[in-house]
Amino acid sequence: MLLLRLAETSAAVAATGSRKAKGELLASVLADLEPDEIEPTVGFLIGAPRQGALGVGWATVSRVEVIPASEASLVVGDLDRLLTAISRTSGPGSATARTRLLNDFLAKATEAEHDLVRRILIGDLRQGALAGVLTDALAKASGVTQKLLRRAVMLQGDLGRTAVIALTEGAEGLERVDLEVGRPIQPMLASTAADVSEAIEALGPVQVEWKLDGARIQVHVRRDAVAVYTRNLNDVTARLPQVVELARSLPCDDAVLDGEVVGFFGDYPGLDPIQDDNDGDTDRPRPFQETMSAFGTETDASPAPEGGRLRPFFFDLMFLDGESLIDRPLAERSDALADLVGRHGIPRITTDRVDEGERHLADALDAGHEGVMVKAVDGPYEAGRRGKSWRKVKPVHTLDLVVLAAEWGHGRRQGWLSNLHLGARDPDGDGFVMVGKTFKGLTDELLAWQTERFLELKTHESTTGHTVYIAPELVVEIALDGAQTSTRYAGGVALRFARVKGYRPDRSPETADTLDAVRALL
């Protein structure tokens, strides 16, 4: 397929606000792709090339000055090969080499193709075709049901590879896709409830479990082979030797577990700190940012981080000894999990009584944790979805939002990008909608880090140069007192007393909270 057709379709998708129209445009392109074009094209259309991070920012793209070609000659595969070449270019002189590759490519590209390539490179596609819209279009193009396709996507863990199956093998191929040990799946996410009472009223009999403020992990065990993945499906096995050691000791042939790793102030070899009865704060969890710092540096050869190693705790079991459990009720999965991991499970109770649930919440807060998760006992594991059968309850409202821009600071913050522009995900899949600003909760360390990072992600500046707009790649956890109606922002809602809890490198923009989640706080 000519790259020009992809560029023109992308522009047309960006120009319409209709989800249905976007889907029809995308379905038309998907249906005409050759098999080897499907996976790269899906990556292009959702602004997530299969090559991953390319090391190309606005500075590199802005240096390219070539006259667009008058006729189209490039095909989709040409762009895929360019991005592969760029991703493999590293070391001294790599910036110059990337610029040369880009110059040579764009010399053959039309004006419309120029725009598409530049936007893909800097993560600024902004056509409103996030994964949800493209998944619907893929179902239409392949003639399969959305339910079947979405299930295959969650089990395959990759929309591009699933698209290849859907468009080449149809429903029969998708039905063969199942949970496979060693291939990470998208984790199930939770909706929000105001309190335990609201959650139990909505779900009936529930399990109430402590909500830890750690780093999400997915552990795959196959006899002696262990792999550990993050929430974003990145392989971090080498960083978590203690998790690998524990996983190898489990009494099973193979398993897939969902859990968290958490740092603690105390270090109790052989003792479970989450339920320890020692006095004082030695058994209390460290802040999330400290957990992530240890998570990012720990290796087999490293000493334990100050205050103890990261500790794994598990709350779900999706596969055990040759059998997928994702369609089993939570109660069954929990029983099997308890037998498998013992004291490495997160404390939980089963109840339909609000007072018991609230006591369990109080216990979690007293132990220094975030709150509780309230889960329907009959619910399946809905991988890749923010399911209604899981509700998170925290005493302070928090939202995962995406940074859209930042303003240069004044006074003591002169020279730092400070005031954040915060965006919630549009529930219709049309990018991100601004819902507020904040400069509160930022330490000097965070200000320095985000200034450097924002300039790497810069797409453009305001005419005054006061505001720097960035590619929507960074998720930040925001604490707030609630929301209020507002005509200032396009979503008609604004955050109240928002402050930064911390950046969440373990979370992706596609899993950020939606505008509906903000409106629910009105």
Side-chain angles (χ1 to χ4, degrees):
M1 177 180 289
L2 283 175
L3 186 61
L4 179 60
R5 182 176 175 191
L6 196 62
E8 291 174 340
T9 299
S10 177
V13 168
T16 178
S18 166
R19 183 185 178 101
K20 181 180 179 181
K22 291 178 188 290
E24 290 174 348
L25 288 165
L26 293 169
S28 176
V29 165
L30 291 169
D32 290 343
L33 291 170
E34 295 296 326
D36 61 349
E37 296 175 328
I38 297 170
E39 187 174 351
T41 297
V42 168
F44 300 153
L45 290 173
I46 61 174
R50 61 179 178 172
Q51 289 81 2
L54 297 169
V56 175
W58 177 252
T60 299
V61 171
S62 63
R63 286 197 296 268
V64 176
E65 294 184 3
V66 294
I67 299 173
S70 57
E71 294 185 6
S73 62
L74 297 169
V75 295
V76 167
D78 293 328
L79 178 55
D80 188 47
R81 286 184 284 275
L82 168 71
L83 300 190
T84 297
I86 288 176
S87 69
R88 293 174 177 173
T89 304
S90 60
S94 59
T96 300
R98 291 191 192 105
T99 302
R100 184 170 60 253
L101 285 168
L102 194 53
N103 264 306
D104 292 345
F105 184 86
L106 290 179
K108 306 171 187 175
T110 64
E111 186 172 354
E113 293 166 331
H114 271 232
D115 184 65
L116 175 69
V117 173
R118 290 172 188 267
R119 290 183 179 279
I120 288 173
L121 287 171
I122 64 174
D124 187 39
L125 202 57
R126 295 182 184 275
Q127 63 183 17
L130 294 176
V133 179
L134 192 63
T135 301
D136 293 345
L138 180 58
K140 181 179 179 65
S142 58
V144 303
T145 66
Q146 291 186 7
K147 181 178 181 180
L148 177 60
L149 181 62
R150 290 182 184 278
R151 178 181 173 82
V153 170
M154 76 179 187
L155 294 173
Q156 186 74 26
D158 184 277
L159 181 56
R161 289 196 292 269
T162 307
V164 174
I165 297 171
L167 291 169
T168 60
E169 302 177 44
E172 184 177 346
L174 294 176
E175 288 168 353
R176 290 196 296 268
V177 177
D178 201 354
L179 179 58
E180 180 180 313
V181 179
R183 184 176 66 196
I185 65 172
Q186 298 168 0
M188 182 172 177
L189 306 177
S191 301
T192 300
D195 51 37
V196 171
S197 176
E198 177 185 296
I200 291 179
E201 181 180 352
L203 301 177
V206 295
Q207 287 186 174
V208 185
E209 65 187 35
W210 289 9
K211 187 180 188 311
L212 312 185
D213 191 17
R216 186 86 172 259
I217 56 171
Q218 187 178 124
V219 179
H220 290 241
V221 183
R222 182 184 286 121
R223 295 177 177 84
D224 290 335
V226 175
V228 185
Y229 301 95
T230 66
R231 179 187 178 115
N232 292 334
L233 311 187
N234 296 318
D235 189 332
V236 290
T237 308
R239 298 185 192 176
L240 298 171
Q242 75 285 9
V243 176
V244 174
E245 181 181 2
L246 170 61
R248 283 178 174 157
S249 72
L250 296 177
C252 64
D253 288 332
D254 48 30
V256 178
L257 304 100
D258 201 351
E260 301 260 352
V261 286
V262 184
F264 286 84
F265 283 99
D267 190 8
Y268 300 97
L271 188 64
D272 184 353
I274 202 169
Q275 302 184 69
D276 186 63
D277 294 326
N278 279 324
D279 294 331
D281 290 335
T282 56
D283 60 339
R284 297 182 72 79
R286 287 184 172 273
F288 172 79
Q289 294 303 123
E290 294 185 26
T291 290
M292 287 305 296
S293 177
F295 181 82
T297 59
E298 196 165 273
T299 67
D300 283 314
S302 71
E306 182 183 352
R309 305 285 295 240
L310 297 178
R311 306 296 186 91
F313 296 95
F314 300 104
F315 54 78
D316 218 318
L317 180 64
M318 296 94 83
F319 192 97
L320 180 64
D321 289 338
E323 185 177 2
S324 173
L325 306 181
I326 60 173
D327 292 323
R328 299 284 189 87
L330 173 64
E332 288 187 30
R333 302 199 309 273
S334 296
D335 287 345
L337 176 69
D339 291 340
L340 183 65
V341 304
R343 65 187 181 86
H344 298 286
I346 288 178
R348 54 159 49 102
I349 62 170
T350 301
T351 186
D352 59 0
R353 292 178 49 180
V354 173
D355 60 336
E356 291 181 349
E358 289 177 339
R359 279 198 296 272
H360 203 59
L361 169 60
D363 289 343
L365 297 176
D366 287 345
H369 299 289
E370 276 195 311
V372 292
M373 297 291 293
V374 183
K375 302 178 178 179
V377 295
D378 59 352
Y381 190 93
E382 299 178 271
R385 299 192 63 189
R386 195 172 290 278
K388 296 296 184 183
S389 62
W390 285 14
R391 309 291 177 98
K392 56 186 175 183
V393 178
K394 301 180 185 180
V396 176
H397 296 299
T398 63
L399 294 170
D400 290 340
L401 301 175
V402 174
V403 181
L404 305 178
E407 300 169 9
W408 289 104
H410 302 283
R412 197 180 69 80
R413 294 190 175 186
Q414 183 77 32
W416 281 334
L417 285 168
S418 174
N419 201 16
L420 307 180
H421 293 204
L422 302 168
R425 187 163 50 86
D426 191 293
D428 293 328
D430 296 329
F432 301 92
V433 181
M434 189 171 173
V435 291
K437 300 180 182 181
T438 189
F439 54 82
K440 297 178 180 178
L442 293 167
T443 63
D444 288 356
E445 182 181 10
L446 270 183
L447 285 165
W449 174 84
Q450 72 181 27
T451 299
E452 180 179 359
R453 186 73 178 108
F454 290 175
L455 292 176
E456 292 173 354
L457 296 174
K458 181 176 75 171
T459 59
H460 61 288
E461 296 181 355
S462 62
T463 54
T464 62
H466 179 62
T467 302
V468 173
Y469 294 87
I470 68 173
E473 295 183 12
L474 300 179
V475 176
V476 63
E477 186 174 12
I478 298 294
L480 65 157
D481 291 355
Q484 60 192 25
T485 57
S486 173
T487 58
R488 183 174 183 180
Y489 303 118
V493 64
L495 309 178
R496 295 183 66 247
F497 303 108
R499 57 269 188 201
V500 173
K501 278 197 69 178
Y503 282 90
R504 300 299 306 235
D506 58 324
R507 300 179 183 176
S508 63
E510 291 76 18
T511 63
D513 282 299
T514 66
L515 183 59
D516 286 343
V518 181
R519 289 170 176 163
L521 299 177
L522 289 171

